[in-house]
Amino acid sequence: MADAPPADVRANLLERAQSINEKIEEHQAAIAELSGERRECLEDLLAAGMTQIQIANALGMSRGRISQLMSAGVKAERAFFGTGKVTVAIGGKLETGRVDGKPLVVASGEAFGAYERLADLLRTLGLESESEIVPPPGLLQLNRPNLVVLTSPRLLPFVGQVLDSDPHLGFASDDDGWFLVDKTTNTVYRSPSDGGESTDYAYLGRLPRPDGKGTFLYLAGIHSPGTAGAVRHVEAHLPELYREVKNRRWSMLVATKFDGKTRKVLETSAVTPIYRHDNG
């Protein structure tokens, strides 16, 4: 039996293997993203009036290969969320009254349920995700890629400051509580759930990172059912949303009807158009 290599040699080999493995994973992710972009281009060409035969001739491929490319690979709308593992940040509250006397940071059941639904959607797109519960006072690191933020500025005030960059929509508050505003039409949307109705409103959009090097996706209801509804709306309309906005900056408001007893989302509907932001 040959002698085992010295420990330093084994360490170098392991380091090299790890480096190679990381590069392979990076290349595989890049190929998956490029495949999605290619399929998106093919879909756009078909929508523009070209036939599969014309596209095949232009690209030097067979019609069968074009059909194969159209049905293979990752979905183009996966890029709506990013290019890698997605972090979903949720505003948390301090839970007191524990036996050990130590407060615990927790998210509401509805907010975490919204994350779980979003995580299921991301899995169907081939994306991993992780949740991050942000403790009070809601100091959230926004300068990172592949970020989705849930929860209103009531728990995440720093996000509220970034929302000021939206020329069309935003959150506001007064003595009667939090509400949403359409600045373009001067329309105020107060949550009907504050008056006992099983309906809430939510903001959906893509906002700029403070460092100016990217954006993050923001889904937030006035109350928790609205946040769950925002996720449900994206899930139900992802392909058309992606075709409409790609990764540009945009925003819209949706209404969520939910079961008054179980608090489960029943249906969602858009109450504003999709607003594209200047310089977005």
Side-chain angles (χ1 to χ4, degrees), residues 5-20:
D8 59 337
V9 174
R10 293 199 301 270
N12 289 336
L13 289 171
L14 279 173
E15 183 178 352
R16 184 184 174 195
Q18 290 170 347
S19 176
I20 292 172

Side-chain angles (χ1 to χ4, degrees), residues 155-277:
L155 295 179
L156 299 175
F158 186 40
V159 177
Q161 296 178 30
V162 178
L163 264 171
D164 290 340
S165 67
D166 186 332
H168 302 287
L169 304 170
F171 276 89
S173 64
D174 58 18
D175 292 341
D176 294 324
W178 285 87
F179 55 94
L180 284 157
V181 179
D182 185 330
K183 306 171 190 176
T184 302
T185 63
N186 293 318
T187 305
V188 171
Y189 293 90
R190 294 186 182 273
S191 178
S193 66
D194 290 332
E197 296 182 40
S198 299
T199 302
D200 194 25
Y201 292 114
Y203 177 103
L204 288 71
R206 184 173 296 282
L207 295 169
R209 285 168 29 176
D211 64 1
K213 296 181 180 179
T215 60
F216 64 93
L217 193 63
Y218 184 50
L219 312 174
I222 299 175
H223 301 296
S224 294
T227 300
V231 172
R232 169 81 167 267
H233 196 81
V234 169
E235 178 186 41
H237 301 279
L238 180 57
E240 55 261 45
L241 271 175
Y242 182 68
R243 284 196 300 269
E244 186 80 14
V245 299
K246 298 295 192 292
N247 288 314
R248 296 185 291 270
R249 287 168 51 189
W250 61 280
S251 58
M252 67 182 298
L253 301 184
V254 301
T256 298
K257 292 185 178 181
F258 58 95
D259 187 295
K261 294 182 179 180
T262 66
R263 310 279 284 181
K264 290 185 178 181
V265 175
L266 299 177
E267 62 179 86
T268 67
S269 60
V271 295
T272 70
I274 294 175
Y275 288 116
R276 293 178 181 81
H277 300 184

Side-chain angles (χ1 to χ4, degrees), residues 137-156:
L139 300 178
L140 172 62
Q141 173 55 267
L142 296 172
N143 297 328
R144 44 183 162 162
N146 309 321
L147 177 67
V148 179
V149 179
L150 307 181
T151 320
S152 78
R154 183 169 58 88
L155 295 179
L156 299 175

Side-chain angles (χ1 to χ4, degrees), residues 20-38:
I20 292 172
N21 190 52
E22 289 173 1
K23 290 178 180 178
I24 289 174
E25 290 180 352
E26 289 174 1
H27 284 301
Q28 288 175 335
I31 289 171
E33 294 304 321
L34 288 172
S35 296
E37 291 181 19
R38 177 173 59 185

